[in-house]
Amino acid sequence: MATFCMPRVDLRERSLSAAELRAALPRGGVDVDAVVPTVRPIVDDVAERGATAALEYGERFDGVRPDAVRVPAAALTAALQTLDADVRAALQVAIDRTRAVHADQRRTDTVTEVAPGAVVTERWLPVDRVGLYVPGGNAVYPSSVVMNVVPAQIAGVSSLVIASPPQRSNTGAFTGLPHPTILAAAALLGVTEVWAVGGAQAIALLAYGGTDTDGSGTWTELAPVDMITGPGNIYVTAAKRICRAQVGIDAEAGPTEIAILADGTADPAHVAADLISQAEHDEMAASVLVTASTELADAVDAALTEQLATTVHRERVLTALAGPQSATVLVDDLDTGVRVVNAYGAEHLEIQTADAAGVAARIRSAGAIFVGAYAPVSLGDYCAGSNHVLPTAGSARHSSGLSVQTFLRGIHVIEYTEAALKEVSGHVQALAAAEQLPAHGEAVRRRFAR
């Protein structure tokens, strides 16, 4: 094949403001607003007719209709029993490491005595019921089961349901059910409730609930959830946006992205392999290299050409690497490169430079930072112990990835004695008067009126 060259954005000898810099950087576009009018009727219909509507939409869009929404317990057991031994061992390592990291995130209650007899306690309580969406499509994502379930379990969520699209291509006992590897991962984690429904209709059913039947006349409640997490396509994202008044959501996830900040010490073969690994996800995936070394940029293009010749999903990867969301960004020096990646706010950021740890310490905007030659993004996708559900589209500048905190609510508990309230009663009344809310002050004054 002809030499493949990443598109280039040359920022050398340019002094750009933060806003100009963000505008100059490659970024994919996902217009969620454009599909909201299409998705809203689906959400409204599922909210009204429940599982019946959800199954009908699945049959229309995906060409498959399970007998029931809820996956039978026997199917979960069978999926785990038939899971490839190597895949099971790998999933167990991913689970163990993810549990180890997330266990240290659990918050404890805090008690603050602001004055004698005046105590404010912050209690951290888990969300009661959570819906975890695991997409289908170009790939199978048992790792997403791990990344969503583990922090929810550690947070203490008492009721978990996984929703994942039923598959047409499965055979035998798994026809019309989510992919068996998804079911096996759920079983391995002890999740007993899995729904065979995908797309916008899955989000709506999680948000509003309904009733389910296997056709035998036995009806089962599909209880609505309090929060929905997990990635999905643009229709799933639009449904999450519509339903967020009904339930909490983790984020509106966009296409995946990787940025690599590299200097002349980086191995171009490693850089190329990592750019390809993210482009493999989706034709809209973003792969961005930021470097001051034109020699490295040229060497990476040569390595990409060589590796693309044997890449399994070559056409998908080529489309992603050649798209407007991907580029090699040339900068004057490493300091400028740090400024660029902070402005970009990548979902995944690799640092492949001399003193990679020192450079990583200067990064303020990234979903996750992968330090050095031996911490590729694919490690974080599976077995690093970190979470791979991360902010996209620059939202790492203000948001975090999925964690135990996602599933916890902080509640302030206020306890004041009579003397403690009396001490500040005048201040409360003064502020109430300043805000022209006299009844607020009166509520305190009356407690001490004789």
Side-chain angles (χ1 to χ4, degrees), residues 140-442:
V140 182
Y141 295 104
S143 59
S144 287
V145 178
V146 176
M147 299 297 170
N148 281 273
V149 169
V150 168
Q153 288 178 331
I154 290 174
V157 174
S158 59
S159 179
L160 296 172
V161 52
I162 292 172
S164 191
Q167 304 292 306
R168 284 187 298 174
S169 58
N170 294 338
T171 59
F174 295 112
T175 301
L177 298 178
H179 195 282
T181 310
I182 300 298
L183 300 182
L188 197 58
L189 284 157
V191 177
T192 59
E193 187 175 359
V194 180
W195 295 358
V197 60
Q201 59 271 22
I203 302 303
L205 191 61
L206 288 169
Y208 290 95
T211 54
D212 190 21
T213 180
D214 58 6
S216 66
T218 301
W219 293 86
T220 304
E221 180 188 9
L222 299 172
V225 302
D226 301 303
M227 168 174 275
I228 299 172
T229 69
N233 62 22
I234 190 171
Y235 300 100
V236 169
T237 301
K240 288 171 76 174
R241 177 179 292 183
I242 293 167
C243 291
R244 69 184 309 165
Q246 179 76 11
V247 295
I249 66 170
D250 52 347
E252 294 185 7
T256 190
E257 58 199 24
I258 181 176
I260 302 176
L261 177 59
D263 62 15
T265 67
D267 187 325
H270 296 170
V271 174
D274 295 350
L275 293 170
I276 288 172
S277 72
Q278 288 306 110
E280 182 179 42
H281 276 284
D282 190 300
E283 291 181 351
M284 299 178 71
S287 294
V288 175
L289 169 63
V290 179
T291 185
S293 171
T294 54
E295 293 80 6
L296 177 69
D298 293 340
V300 168
D301 282 344
L304 285 170
T305 301
E306 178 183 352
Q307 294 179 30
L308 283 168
T310 57
T311 296
V312 173
H313 303 294
R314 180 172 174 273
E315 293 307 315
R316 184 192 308 163
V317 170
L318 275 171
T319 300
L321 293 178
Q325 73 274 19
S326 299
T328 295
V329 179
L330 297 174
V331 296
D332 290 308
D333 50 38
L334 185 59
D335 288 343
T336 307
V338 168
R339 183 166 178 261
V340 166
V341 297
N342 276 328
Y344 184 72
E347 177 189 18
H348 310 92
L349 174 64
E350 289 187 0
I351 308 295
Q352 297 199 35
T353 66
D355 187 24
V359 174
R362 298 166 59 191
I363 303 302
R364 299 185 58 82
S365 297
I369 304 170
F370 298 81
V371 183
Y374 297 98
V377 166
S378 53
L379 172 67
D381 285 340
Y382 302 115
C383 292
S386 57
N387 204 292
H388 77 202
V389 182
L390 300 167
T392 60
S395 59
R397 291 185 289 108
H398 53 75
S399 298
S400 305
L402 199 71
S403 70
V404 173
Q405 277 77 264
T406 304
F407 302 98
L408 294 174
R409 298 161 293 145
I411 300 176
H412 280 169
V413 180
I414 299 93
E415 299 173 89
Y416 268 53
T417 64
E418 180 181 357
L421 176 59
K422 189 171 186 178
E423 181 185 1
V424 294
S425 62
H427 300 312
V428 173
Q429 292 175 71
L431 289 171
E435 293 188 352
Q436 299 182 37
L437 297 170
H440 283 59
E442 188 69 3

Side-chain angles (χ1 to χ4, degrees), residues 25 34 47 56 62 66-67 92 100 112 153 210 227 254 314 392 417 441 443:
L25 294 174
E56 288 175 1
D62 302 323
D67 294 331
Q92 192 61 59
T112 305
Q153 288 178 331
M227 168 174 275
R314 180 172 174 273
T392 60
T417 64

Side-chain angles (χ1 to χ4, degrees), residues 121-144:
T121 301
E122 185 167 33
R123 297 171 56 200
W124 290 98
L125 298 175
V127 175
D128 289 335
R129 180 165 164 82
V130 174
L132 310 172
Y133 186 77
V134 179
N138 290 332
V140 182
Y141 295 104
S143 59
S144 287

